Amino acid sequence: MENNVNSKITQENLWQYADDISKYLQDKVVGQRNWNSLNDFPLLFKQALYVMDWKKKSISYQRNIDKLLGYDLKEFNMETALRRIHPDDIPVVSRVIKGTVHHYVHSRTVEPDSYLTLTYRFLKKDNSTIKLLRQTGAFEVSDRGEFISNWSLITVIDFISNNNQVEWHLNTNEVDFQKFKDNVYREFKDFFSPRELLVIHGINKGLKSLEIAKELSISKLTVDTHRKNILRKCGCSNKEQLLNFCAANGII
């Protein structure tokens, strides 16, 4: 029950963030855009393409969404794209999205060839779950360089990925990547509780549950409970995946 409540809160926070960004962009003048590049882009059988307009809080372009996800043109809007992220993945995905949008809206350093790769689960119209690989980059920018909208190419990867981990990577130059990481890392500062972080640091030092318990002056049962909750939060199944997740998101 608590999981569902937390997921709903995170979805509301992400939707409120979209509203804040939309208000910020209202007086920005959109620069050039090339719709033909979208129409000419070849799509495979398990792929779809769409453009998310953060200024208008809308989906301004879409292809194959109905075939891939089951939503018709009116149903697949920005709210659907954000709220139908799997409840267990939304705590991580929302932070990556917020960090990405904040970076490109406020830094005014949109690299033309840079794009974000993000994997997560999504709910189709029939409520079935699919695993998506989403590649997304800037489509429209303002005349002053602010990010306005992004293109997203989504690919179903159920047949090559059966884990529940959310993973991301930004394909760009090293300078831009360092600035981008700072924005994403900031979003993950409150992902784990202070006590959970202490347990994670113990795991990172190679300590077993009993050793962590003695170090924190708590019971081994409490440490084991924390470990289960920590793995559940980030969709990891073992300590190796956990430590990789924490390193990738600036937690350790």
Side-chain angles (χ1 to χ4, degrees):
M1 182 66 175
E2 183 182 354
N3 237 359
N4 291 334
V5 171
N6 289 338
S7 296
K8 289 179 181 178
I9 291 173
T10 307
Q11 288 171 335
E12 290 299 328
N13 291 346
L14 182 56
W15 187 240
Q16 180 59 56
Y17 179 74
D19 192 53
D20 294 339
I21 291 297
S22 176
K23 291 176 182 176
Y24 173 80
L25 294 174
Q26 284 308 302
D27 63 343
K28 311 302 180 185
V29 179
V30 181
Q32 291 184 339
R33 51 194 164 190
N34 183 8
W35 295 105
N36 288 332
S37 64
L38 299 178
N39 292 325
D40 295 338
F41 188 89
L43 294 178
L44 301 178
F45 174 67
K46 292 194 173 184
Q47 288 185 322
L49 183 67
Y50 65 91
V51 172
M52 184 177 290
D53 188 322
W54 288 84
K55 180 177 179 178
K56 297 179 180 178
K57 284 181 68 177
S58 67
I59 300 295
S60 56
Y61 178 94
Q62 56 178 291
R63 281 174 57 202
N64 276 19
I65 291 294
D66 54 341
K67 297 177 182 177
L68 201 68
L69 304 178
Y71 300 100
D72 63 31
L73 292 175
K74 293 182 179 179
E75 292 171 323
F76 190 75
N77 49 37
M78 188 169 182
E79 187 169 7
T80 303
L82 296 180
R83 290 188 185 273
R84 296 291 283 173
I85 297 168
H86 193 282
D88 290 342
D89 291 355
I90 188 69
V92 178
V93 177
S94 64
R95 286 171 168 82
V96 176
I97 290 175
K98 288 171 69 175
T100 304
V101 174
H102 184 276
H103 173 68
Y104 283 117
V105 166
H106 296 289
S107 68
R108 299 179 185 175
T109 57
V110 179
E111 293 291 330
D113 297 326
S114 68
Y115 64 94
L116 174 74
T117 299
L118 179 64
T119 62
Y120 59 96
R121 290 170 293 172
F122 193 84
L123 300 177
K124 298 172 64 175
K125 185 179 179 180
D126 63 7
N127 283 325
S128 62
T129 300
I130 57 172
K131 184 73 175 285
L132 294 179
L133 166 67
R134 177 179 166 192
Q135 296 164 281
T136 183
F139 180 63
E140 298 168 293
V141 296
S142 74
D143 54 355
R144 296 176 59 188
E146 294 106 342
F147 166 88
I148 298 293
S149 70
N150 62 273
W151 58 265
S152 286
L153 173 67
I154 56 175
T155 306
V156 177
I157 57 171
D158 289 335
F159 62 101
I160 59 173
S161 175
N162 58 7
N163 69 61
N164 294 332
Q165 284 187 281
V166 175
E167 297 174 303
W168 63 266
H169 179 70
L170 183 69
N171 299 272
T172 188
N173 64 62
E174 188 62 27
V175 174
D176 190 45
F177 186 49
Q178 290 301 319
K179 293 179 181 178
F180 173 81
K181 283 198 300 185
D182 290 339
N183 283 291
V184 175
Y185 288 178
R186 184 165 50 246
E187 295 294 332
F188 280 90
K189 282 187 175 181
D190 64 345
F191 188 77
F192 293 110
S193 71
R195 179 54 62 90
E196 288 171 339
L197 284 173
L198 291 174
V199 172
I200 290 170
H201 286 300
I203 295 172
N204 192 40
K205 290 190 293 184
L207 301 180
K208 299 186 181 302
S209 291
L210 185 58
E211 294 171 313
I212 296 173
K214 290 179 179 179
E215 189 173 88
L216 300 180
S217 299
I218 57 179
S219 71
K220 178 180 178 297
L221 178 60
T222 300
V223 173
D224 288 338
T225 300
H226 280 311
R227 293 182 73 142
K228 289 179 182 178
N229 290 335
I230 288 167
L231 291 175
R232 174 184 51 78
K233 273 189 178 181
C234 56
C236 297
S237 57
N238 54 55
K239 68 177 183 180
E240 288 76 20
Q241 290 180 356
L242 167 65
L243 294 178
N244 287 336
F245 172 88
C246 291
N249 293 293
I251 296 170
I252 58 174

